[in-house]
């Protein structure tokens, strides 16, 4: 950034270009193609981390692989990278037909939408998801489907519960039913010490994934956590570029707000690595370098545009942090498998607790219930202590009649019902509300 500022202070201003590393040019004649414009990673001080995926992605080649949320920014890049490892079958699942059209076009250079490997389905539809998994019988699953816009979810917490919590459990249940070998749940850094609906819902999803890791008869179940992705739909760079093009002030929440950024390619590399190096129930977090001050990014882009534009500070929105965390207070920075990847333990949460949430409740009540689920002690120990674990099966998320008006009673009510059910298992399969 200092170099850019100095170059732009010259008269006339100098344009800054990037030259390939000298080590790659030694012994070769310099070509004009070696001189390039500044990239997003150059502007943000982010260097692409190349990893030797070929040595660790053997669990993909020749396997049946299914990706949920395949039409999204992460899901589509995931499909493109997975395609190179030659899986026996790559099934791309999304509820957005236009997104499926785009991802097929990007991989096959054609998009006739005439292949059974494109699946139009919603993870909220348990019956449909079970049917898809029973037909495909995937060996590897990457779960990238989720609602991800913080402000919208803060206003609509019931939707976060339906998709990010219950939808995740639906996919986990379907995966366990067909004996999936490797399951990778895509999470977010907002799940670390969460304070917003998005963070709460994704932390609960991490805990549900950890519970599956502890109870599934076969398979490895892990989560992977990362920050903001450059170039994704709705990213801050996309917003800033549009505002610059329209000649309007760039909007930043706070002068001091910072965020971690990743390139979409390296985010997806981490997701793929997670399936190879992660231990059951862990969350994997990439070393994302130093956080970036968003106001600095805005100022840099304004200078590069040559336009005279202001920055408008709008204030932090409900649920937003000034600075994001990578690890929660109880998580430790342990890197046993890779110098750039932290592997942290996630306390499991039994599906019965998530099923207890009443989405018909008032918005503040729903938010409090989600927060309580993040803090709740692991139910697994309680269940096994009371000999009730055997009463919890794949049907639990859709068969337990748990509803309470007091969010702080949800988890305790779940425990009480399960413990009671250990004495009379039939009581767990009565009339119920289906999430």
């Amino acid at each position: 950034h200092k170099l850019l500022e100095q170059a732009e202070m010259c008269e006339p201003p100098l344009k800054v270009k990037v030259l390939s590393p000298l080590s790659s040019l030694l012994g070769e004649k310099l070509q004009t193609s070696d001189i390039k414009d500044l990239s997003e990673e150059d502007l943000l001080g982010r260097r692409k981390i190349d990893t030797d995926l070929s040595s660790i992605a053997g669990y993909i080649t020749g396997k049946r692989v299914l990706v949920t949320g395949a039409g999204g920014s992460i899901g589509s890049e995931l499909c493109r990278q997975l395609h190179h490892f030659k899986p026996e079958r790559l099934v791309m699942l999304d509820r957005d037909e236009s997104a499926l059209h785009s991802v097929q076009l990007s991989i096959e250079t054609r998009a006739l939408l005439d292949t059974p490997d494109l699946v139009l389905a919603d993870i909220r539809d348990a019956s449909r998801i079970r049917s898809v998994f029973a037909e495909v019988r995937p060996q590897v699953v990457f779960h990238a489907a989720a609602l991800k816009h913080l402000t919208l979810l803060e206003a609509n917490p019931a939707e976060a519960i339906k998709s990010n919590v219950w939808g995740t459990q639906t996919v986990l249940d379907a995966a366990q039913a067909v004996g999936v070998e490797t399951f990778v749940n895509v999470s977010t850094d907002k799940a670390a010490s969460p304070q917003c609906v998005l963070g709460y819902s994704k932390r609960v999803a991490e805990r549900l994934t950890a519970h599956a890791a502890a109870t599934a008869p076969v398979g490895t179940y892990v989560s992977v956590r990362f920050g903001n992705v450059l170039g994704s739909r709705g990213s801050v760079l996309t917003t800033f570029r549009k505002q610059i093009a329209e000649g309007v002030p760039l909007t930043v929440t706070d002068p001091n707000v910072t965020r971690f950024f990743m390139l979409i390619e390296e985010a997806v590399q981490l997701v793929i690595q997670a399936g190879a190096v992660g231990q059951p129930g862990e969350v994997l977090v990439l070393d994302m370098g130093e956080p970036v001050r968003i106001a600095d990014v805005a100022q840099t882009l304004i200078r590069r545009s040559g336009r005279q534009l202001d920055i408008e500070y709008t204030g932090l929105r409900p649920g937003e942090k000034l600075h994001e965390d990578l690890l929660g207070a109880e998580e430790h920075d342990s890197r046993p498998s890779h110098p750039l990847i932290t592997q942290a333990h996630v306390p499991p949460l039994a599906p019965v607790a998530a099923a207890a949430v009443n989405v018909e409740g008032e918005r503040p009540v729903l938010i409090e219930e989600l927060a309580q689920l993040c803090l709740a002690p692991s139910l697994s120990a309680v269940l096994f202590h009371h000999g009730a674990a055997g009463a919890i099966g794949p049907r639990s998320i859709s068969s337990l009649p748990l509803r309470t008006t007091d969010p702080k009673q949800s988890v305790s009510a779940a425990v009480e019902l399960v413990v009671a059910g250990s004495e009379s298992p039939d009581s767990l399969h009565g009339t119920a509300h289906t999430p």
Side-chain angles (χ1 to χ4, degrees):
H1 292 297
K2 290 183 179 179
L3 177 62
L4 285 173
E5 291 174 1
Q6 292 171 355
E8 288 157 3
M9 289 173 61
C10 295
E11 193 60 47
L14 299 176
K15 289 186 177 181
V16 177
K17 299 284 185 178
V18 177
L19 182 64
S20 299
L22 288 176
S23 59
S24 66
L25 298 174
L26 292 176
E28 297 184 12
K29 186 177 180 181
L30 180 66
Q31 304 291 326
T32 55
S33 60
D34 294 317
I35 304 173
K36 302 176 182 178
D37 291 328
L38 289 170
S39 64
E40 292 173 340
E41 55 266 36
D42 293 317
L43 290 173
L44 295 176
R46 181 75 185 160
R47 287 294 176 268
K48 182 177 178 180
I49 299 174
D50 292 315
T51 50
D52 184 12
L53 284 179
S54 61
S55 66
I56 62 174
Y59 74 102
I60 300 295
T61 304
K63 298 294 181 71
R64 297 181 300 278
V65 181
L66 184 146
V67 179
T68 72
S73 300
I74 293 295
S76 58
E77 177 63 23
L78 189 53
C79 291
R80 284 187 285 271
Q81 289 196 24
L82 290 171
H83 176 71
H84 293 304
F85 294 106
K86 302 186 184 307
E88 175 189 325
R89 186 178 179 189
L90 176 58
V91 177
M92 298 171 281
L93 184 151
D94 204 290
R95 67 178 182 179
D96 185 337
E97 58 184 347
S98 296
L100 287 175
H101 178 276
S102 296
V103 69
Q104 185 187 31
L105 182 63
S106 70
I107 292 174
E108 302 177 7
T109 67
R110 59 189 289 280
L112 299 180
L113 302 177
D114 57 353
T115 169
D117 290 342
L118 293 181
V119 176
L120 189 63
D122 193 327
I123 61 171
R124 294 186 181 189
D125 186 342
S127 176
R128 171 68 169 147
I129 295 301
R130 284 195 300 267
S131 176
V132 170
F133 273 65
E135 186 276 321
V136 175
R137 302 197 71 80
Q139 295 160 288
V140 181
V141 172
F142 293 92
H143 176 47
L147 297 178
K148 301 169 184 175
H149 284 277
L150 185 150
T151 306
L152 279 175
L153 294 186
E154 205 67 23
N156 302 278
E159 302 308 306
I161 295 166
K162 293 173 187 176
S163 289
N164 296 357
V165 177
W166 290 348
T168 295
Q169 187 59 49
T170 291
V171 178
L172 287 167
D173 285 344
Q176 292 177 79
V178 299
V180 164
E181 298 170 6
T182 304
F183 185 103
V184 180
N185 168 52
V186 176
S187 190
T188 168
D189 60 355
K190 290 176 176 58
S193 300
Q195 68 174 39
C196 62
V197 169
L198 170 59
Y200 294 146
S201 65
K202 296 299 282 183
R203 178 56 175 174
V204 172
E206 289 181 358
R207 297 194 64 187
L208 292 172
T209 302
H211 181 270
T215 58
V218 296
T220 298
Y221 290 72
V222 299
S223 295
V224 58
R225 190 189 291 167
F226 48 81
N228 296 275
V229 176
L230 297 178
S232 65
R233 291 183 298 184
S235 72
V236 66
L237 286 181
T238 302
T239 300
F240 285 166
R241 288 197 186 101
K242 183 171 178 59
Q243 290 172 333
I244 289 172
E246 295 180 356
V248 299
L250 276 64
T251 52
V252 177
T253 56
D254 187 279
N256 296 312
V257 68
T258 63
R259 291 292 181 264
F260 291 98
F261 284 93
M262 294 183 70
L263 303 177
I264 193 167
E265 296 86 359
E266 66 176 319
V268 167
Q269 287 176 8
L270 171 61
V271 173
I272 296 175
Q273 283 191 74
V277 304
Q279 296 301 305
E282 289 183 334
V283 61
L284 286 85
V285 186
L286 184 67
D287 184 337
M288 300 179 195
E290 295 300 317
V292 176
R293 188 168 169 264
I294 302 301
D296 290 342
V297 177
Q299 291 166 355
T300 298
L301 291 177
I302 290 172
R303 287 197 302 269
R304 290 192 72 217
S305 73
R307 308 184 72 167
Q308 297 296 320
L309 298 174
D310 295 326
I311 296 177
E312 179 181 320
Y313 295 103
T314 59
L316 290 174
R317 294 165 291 188
E320 283 191 318
K321 296 180 182 178
L322 192 62
H323 308 291
E324 295 288 2
D325 302 299
L326 295 179
L327 296 171
E330 302 301 319
E331 295 175 335
H332 304 288
D333 189 356
S334 174
R335 309 185 184 196
S337 303
H338 193 288
L340 295 176
I341 299 177
T342 296
Q343 294 173 236
H345 170 73
V346 177
L349 181 71
V352 62
V357 180
N358 178 15
V359 293
E360 303 299 327
E362 296 292 330
R363 175 179 166 274
V365 175
L366 289 181
I367 295 175
E368 178 63 19
E369 286 196 66
L370 273 175
Q372 289 295 321
L373 286 175
C374 294
L375 300 173
S378 169
L379 287 183
S380 299
V382 177
L383 301 181
F384 281 102
H385 175 72
H386 287 277
I392 299 299
R395 294 179 55 199
S396 61
I397 192 69
S398 60
S399 60
L400 290 175
L402 300 174
R403 293 295 181 264
T404 172
T405 56
D406 184 348
K408 293 185 179 180
Q409 295 178 359
S410 293
V411 174
S412 60
V415 174
E416 289 172 8
L417 182 59
V418 173
V419 172
S422 68
E423 301 174 0
S424 178
D426 291 340
S427 66
L428 296 178
H429 301 293
T431 303
H433 299 282
T434 302

